[in-house]
Amino acid sequence: MSERGRSIITLSIFIVFTGLLTALYYGRVDHICRCSVALFGLSIPLWLPKVYTPRGIFKKLLTPLYDTEVMALLGVFIAVHVSLVNVPFTTIDLFHKEWRNADMISHFLGGLVLWLIIARVLVEFNLSWREVLSYSIVAFYILAIGWEVAEKISESEISFITETLGNKIRDLVMDSMGMIIGIKIRKKLTSFRRS
């Protein structure tokens, strides 16, 4: 893993840890759980390559975890998302209460990272760029629409989350904008360059 990528992931872990301390201080159980899962997830690319070298199909499927650039972008996404849900050192929840449109930022970054992860796996199967693009877009929309359906189903369990059809469409538009940026920047990412 490159030093730059490691530094970005470490900074993201620090930001999420700050969020965890804030959640502990204010007793926000939901945010304690969210931050704990995020901290564990962000640590995986730092320790997994040291203890496990995948082979065969697992090597292809786990490639994004070993890709410094993709994991650094995932770290940025997670740190931003966690900070929007509970701004560190405050009780402000931009995501669900104070500024309900903050989820546009998370959907944009989430769309970018989701597409990069999907495409990074597909690149490992030596597909043509046209095939990678086609399959990644289909998989992307299956997951993005699936996420929106899961959110709608969970609304009955979480009282302060209710989203309109317009909000769902806007979420998918922001996801799509993130994907489009991912498609544009993939040529700049070392791991997407073909030899």
Side-chain angles (χ1 to χ4, degrees), residues 162-174:
T162 52
E163 294 183 350
T164 64
L165 178 61
N167 180 275
K168 296 292 182 196
I169 291 169
R170 187 194 68 196
D171 289 350
L172 288 171
V173 167
M174 293 309 293

Side-chain angles (χ1 to χ4, degrees), residues 90-139:
T90 72
T91 58
I92 297 171
D93 180 349
L94 292 174
F95 205 84
H96 299 112
K97 296 177 182 170
E98 279 81 9
W99 183 44
R100 298 290 302 258
N101 293 328
D103 74 332
M104 292 182 351
I105 299 165
S106 286
H107 278 281
F108 173 78
L109 291 172
L112 167 67
V113 172
L114 176 62
W115 183 83
L116 287 172
I117 289 171
I118 294 167
R120 186 66 187 91
V121 169
L122 292 173
V123 163
E124 289 299 304
F125 287 90
N126 295 318
L127 302 171
S128 69
W129 170 242
R130 177 173 295 230
E131 291 171 317
V132 167
L133 190 59
S134 299
Y135 297 150
S136 66
I137 290 172
V138 169

